[in-house]
Structures are given as structure tokens and as C-alpha cells.
């Protein structure tokens, strides 16, 4: 019986050592140490032994069991560790491989220009305002000194939605809205970028939808010289210190006096070329001193408060700054065009 137990031990230990995986190890455990296993079988014969031999044999059986299960524990750890290593090896990745390049988009050139102009005016203490694109006739025209039937309404062909609502033809209604919000009290210093709409036929220089940036300053003692100084700083910062500006008399119903601002042509340096149509100057924006009627309609006392306003088209500015010859390029989303304006971050 003793020999049989020893034999079983050797046999089991050999099998444990040879086990290739955890399943095989478990099968060995069940077959040798289980209730139906050979060790239990051998111990069934204990009844035939003498009272002296029985405890010895019992102790030996325990030793054999312990030896097998001890060995099994070690083997189990070893196999588990091997399984983890195998999985790690299978999932290994080469962190030194070059990555797939991510295609970067770029800001739309109009977005860049608008942000540049916003930053410039924010630096001079302005805040940014917005207004609705579907606008009331009142704010788009009437509050800007353009009553119904005024001939100057023809300067801006409009898309009407109802008798009293239209797609705004300029960003100037935001002037009226902002002043009204201030209820005739305190200074106003804003710019407002946004989309505007006019019933124009699209061509290289016209679009039925385009952008404008409006500026408005209202306070006590605001003068024409403040307007000129502001526009000069703006033009030189945006187009270069070497550029000159000039103001020409013009007409807008909501400003008096009204002007148009030109900058000196960069291409020819002022001597005249095809870009400036031989004049040496390029028109950039419309501006003027806020008309007293506009101030009064928004609740401001025009004897105490004065102001200036200006309005410009970012498309035109972008066209001049980047040498774009057709306004439609900004809206047709041709990536070959847009990619040229991508900036390396
Ligand atoms: N709203 C005018 C336009 O669209 C521009 C402008 C704005 C002129 C403010 C004077 C003052 O043509």
C-alpha cells in the first residue's frame, strides 16, 4: 500500500510538471485528489491494516496529497503567469511606429479677417454686439432716419418677408437696437459683425449675402476727429503702417456728415493701377457722425450726446488683403481655395 501511494505520488508529480495549461492541471487535480481518485481508492484498503499501521498509512496518504497539491499550486502560478505574458505579447504594440497624420482644417478666411478686426477694436475698448438677421423694417430703416417711402431706401435692394420684416440689408440696425437698450444713458462703444442680404445679382464683386462689421461710438463730446483717428489706427494696423487714408464726402441718411474712407493703393503705391482703377486709392468703408434724429429716436439727447459710426465689408477687406479677385470664392467652399489660408498652429 505504501509503495502504491509512492508510485501515485511520482506519477502525479510528473503529470503536474508536464501540464501545458490550466485546464489540464485542473483535470489532473480532479483525477488524483478527487473522491473517485486512486488515492481514495488505496485508502479504502486501510480497514485491512493493523491498528499500528493505520495512522502511519493515514499520515503517508496526507503527505502524498500535500506533496501533489503543493506542486500543483506552484504549477498553477506558473501557468497563470505564462497566460498573462502570452496575452501581453499578443496585444503588444509598437509605440515607435509613425502615427497616421490627421488632416487639419483651417479657419475660413472671412472668419480670420473678422476675428482680426474684432481683436483690433476690442484692444481699443469696444465690445462685440450681435443682432437678428431677420429684422424689423423699423430697425433696418425707420430708426435710422429712413422713413417709409424715403428715396434712399433704394440704395439697398431688400428681401422683404412681410410688410414689416425683412432680411437686414446692413448691420446698422444693431446701432439702433444697442442705443435703445441703453435708454439714452451713458456711452456706447461697440462693433457688430454679421451677415446681411441684398437683392443683387451675384458677380465677381456682388453677392446677395455678405458680411459687414458695424462700429458705433456714442458719448459726450465725440467729434469727427475721433472718427478719423480711429479709422486711421484701424487701417494702419490691418493693412500696414505705410498706408495712408483719406475721407471723401458721401451720403448716408443715418450719418451727418457722411464720408467714405479710402486707403492708398499698395500695388502701385499711389501712382495708379488696375486694382485702384488709376486713382491711387481704394474704397474701404462708409462712416459718419450719427445723425441727431437717430440719437433722438433711440432715446439719446442729441444736444448732450454725439457719436460716430462706420460700416465695412470683410469680404472686400479680405479680397484686398489676400489678393482674391472674385467674392464668390468665399462661398463656394472649394478646399483648394480655403487651404491657402491655413495657418500652421
Ligand atoms: N450701413 C452702411 C452700408 O451698408 C454703412 C455705414 C455704416 C455707413 C455706418 C455709415 C455708418 O452701406
Amino acid at each position: 500500500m505504501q509503495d502504491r501511494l509512492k508510485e501515485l505520488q511520482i506519477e502525479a508529480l510528473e503529470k503536474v510538471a508536464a501540464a501545458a495549461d490550466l485546464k489540464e492541471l485542473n483535470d489532473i487535480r480532479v483525477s488524483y485528489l478527487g473522491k473517485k481518485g486512486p488515492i481514495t481508492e488505496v485508502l479504502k484498503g486501510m480497514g485491512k491494516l493493523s491498528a499500528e499501521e493505520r495512522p502511519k498509512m493515514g499520515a503517508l496518504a496526507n503527505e502524498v496529497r500535500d506533496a501533489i497539491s503543493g506542486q500543483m499550486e506552484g504549477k498553477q502560478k506558473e501557468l497563470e503567469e505564462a497566460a498573462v505574458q502570452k496575452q501581453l505579447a499578443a496585444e503588444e504594440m509598437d509605440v515607435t511606429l509613425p502615427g497616421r497624420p490627421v488632416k487639419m482644417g483651417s479657419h475660413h478666411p472671412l472668419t480670420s479677417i473678422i476675428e482680426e478686426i474684432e481683436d483690433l477694436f476690442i484692444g481699443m475698448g469696444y465690445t462685440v454686439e450681435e443682432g437678428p438677421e431677420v429684422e424689423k423694417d423699423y430697425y433696418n430703416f425707420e430708426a435710422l432716419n429712413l422713413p417709409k417711402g424715403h428715396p434712399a431706401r433704394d440704395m439697398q435692394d431688400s428681401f422683404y418677408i412681410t410688410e414689416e420684416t425683412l432680411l437686414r440689408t446692413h448691420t446698422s440696425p444693431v446701432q439702433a437696437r444697442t442705443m435703445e437698450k441703453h435708454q439714452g444713458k451713458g456711452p456706447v462703444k461697440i462693433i457688430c459683425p454679421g451677415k446681411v442680404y441684398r437683392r443683387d445679382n451675384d458677380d465677381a464683386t456682388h453677392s446677395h449675402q455678405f458680411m459687414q462689421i458695424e462700429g458705433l461710438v456714442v458719448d459726450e463730446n465725440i467729434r469727427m476727429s475721433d472718427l478719423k483717428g480711429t479709422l486711421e489706427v484701424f487701417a494702419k494696423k490691418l493693412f500696414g503702417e505705410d498706408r495712408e487714408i483719406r475721407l471723401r464726402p458721401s451720403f448716408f441718411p443715418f450719418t451727418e456728415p457722411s464720408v467714405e474712407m479710402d486707403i492708398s493703393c499698395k500695388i502701385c503705391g499711389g501712382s495708379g493701377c488696375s486694382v485702384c482703377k488709376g486713382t491711387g486709392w481704394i474704397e474701404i468703408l462708409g462712416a459718419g457722425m450719427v445723425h441727431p434724429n437717430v440719437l433722438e429716436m433711440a432715446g439719446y439727447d442729441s444736444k448732450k450726446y454725439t457719436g460716430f459710426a462706420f460700416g465695412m465689408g470683410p469680404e472686400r477687406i479680405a479680397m484686398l488683403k489676400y489678393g482674391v479677385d472674385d467674392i464668390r470664392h468665399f462661398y463656394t467652399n472649394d478646399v483648394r481655395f480655403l487651404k491657402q489660408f491655413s495657418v500652421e498652429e
Side-chain angles (χ1 to χ4, degrees):
M1 190 180 259
Q2 197 172 337
D3 293 346
R4 179 66 189 134
L5 281 173
K6 290 270 182 210
E7 249 174 55
L8 281 171
Q9 178 174 352
I10 291 163
E11 202 181 294
L13 292 184
E14 271 171 12
K15 284 196 177 164
V16 168
D21 56 37
L22 289 165
K23 183 179 176 307
E24 212 175 295
L25 190 67
N26 201 41
D27 290 347
I28 299 166
R29 185 195 325 274
V30 172
S31 70
Y32 279 90
L33 303 177
K35 277 194 188 124
K36 289 176 189 149
I39 297 177
T40 314
E41 204 56 38
V42 172
L43 291 179
K44 276 184 187 158
M46 288 244 284
K48 291 184 199 128
L49 296 176
S50 66
E52 241 169 63
E53 272 181 316
R54 227 178 275 159
K56 280 189 198 155
M57 206 49 71
L60 179 63
N62 282 338
E63 261 172 45
V64 171
R65 271 210 182 92
D66 288 349
I68 296 173
S69 56
Q71 180 100 348
M72 273 189 167
E73 235 173 76
K75 184 71 182 180
Q76 180 158 355
K77 281 207 184 104
E78 199 179 293
L79 288 174
E80 277 170 357
E81 177 65 14
V84 170
Q85 290 303 337
K86 197 173 155 195
Q87 191 174 358
L88 282 178
E91 289 173 0
E92 192 186 40
M93 56 181 169
D94 184 353
V95 290
T96 65
L97 279 177
R100 284 193 201 106
V102 179
K103 279 203 183 118
M104 291 291 279
S106 59
H107 272 164
H108 192 279
L110 288 180
T111 307
S112 306
I113 277 283
I114 290 168
E115 283 183 357
E116 193 180 340
I117 295 171
E118 277 179 6
D119 285 349
L120 223 147
F121 280 101
I122 288 168
M124 294 197 270
Y126 288 65
T127 53
V128 178
E129 280 286 336
E130 278 180 2
E133 286 170 31
V134 177
E135 185 54 284
K136 291 197 168 98
D137 182 277
Y138 175 77
Y139 289 111
N140 196 80
F141 290 129
E142 273 178 63
L144 297 171
N145 204 27
L146 274 144
K148 287 208 166 74
H150 194 290
R153 285 196 178 202
D154 290 349
M155 284 165 78
Q156 303 177 356
D157 284 332
S158 325
F159 290 113
Y160 271 90
I161 293 165
T162 68
E163 282 273 304
E164 295 301 330
T165 45
L166 74 162
L167 297 179
R168 67 177 175 192
T169 56
H170 51 178
T171 42
S172 301
V174 189
Q175 284 189 36
R177 284 178 172 277
T178 310
M179 283 192 277
E180 201 181 76
K181 252 195 326 208
H182 278 72
Q183 298 184 316
K185 285 192 262 328
V188 176
K189 205 171 176 188
I190 55 153
I191 54 161
C192 18
K195 291 194 191 85
V196 302
Y197 304 83
R198 288 192 199 173
R199 255 184 62 186
D200 269 330
N201 289 324
D202 294 0
D203 63 23
T205 52
H206 293 87
S207 172
H208 61 282
Q209 180 212 296
F210 55 102
M211 308 281 300
Q212 279 194 338
I213 300 178
E214 191 85 9
L216 172 70
V217 174
V218 175
D219 206 345
E220 294 176 35
N221 295 320
I222 297 291
R223 285 180 283 233
M224 190 86 181
S225 51
D226 297 316
L227 170 63
K228 191 175 178 198
T230 304
L231 293 180
E232 189 157 6
V233 169
F234 158 73
K236 289 190 182 239
K237 283 238 172 86
L238 199 69
F239 291 102
E241 287 298 323
D242 54 338
R243 308 302 282 277
E244 299 293 323
I245 69 158
R246 83 174 177 188
L247 300 180
R248 273 182 296 107
S250 184
F251 173 77
F252 300 103
F254 32 92
T255 47
E256 182 59 37
S258 302
V259 293
E260 264 165 320
M261 183 182 90
D262 298 338
I263 55 161
S264 54
C265 180
K266 194 178 186 169
I267 313 276
C268 62
S271 58
C273 67
S274 63
V275 173
C276 59
K277 299 192 183 94
T279 63
W281 295 94
I282 296 168
E283 186 193 319
I284 293 292
L285 52 77
M289 300 306 290
V290 181
H291 196 291
N293 287 355
V294 174
L295 288 166
E296 294 286 343
M297 267 186 282
Y300 273 90
D301 179 355
S302 64
K303 296 211 174 52
K304 192 171 163 199
Y305 286 95
T306 48
F308 66 74
F310 54 85
M312 63 183 102
E315 282 90 346
R316 192 172 160 72
I317 292 172
M319 285 166 87
L320 289 169
K321 205 170 149 92
Y322 301 129
V324 176
D325 61 2
D326 194 319
I327 194 170
R328 289 167 293 194
H329 285 313
F330 292 119
Y331 312 118
T332 40
N333 292 332
D334 184 334
V335 280
R336 291 167 303 177
F337 171 74
L338 298 173
K339 246 189 357 211
Q340 300 175 70
F341 301 93
S342 73
V343 187
E344 296 281 326
E345 295 284 336

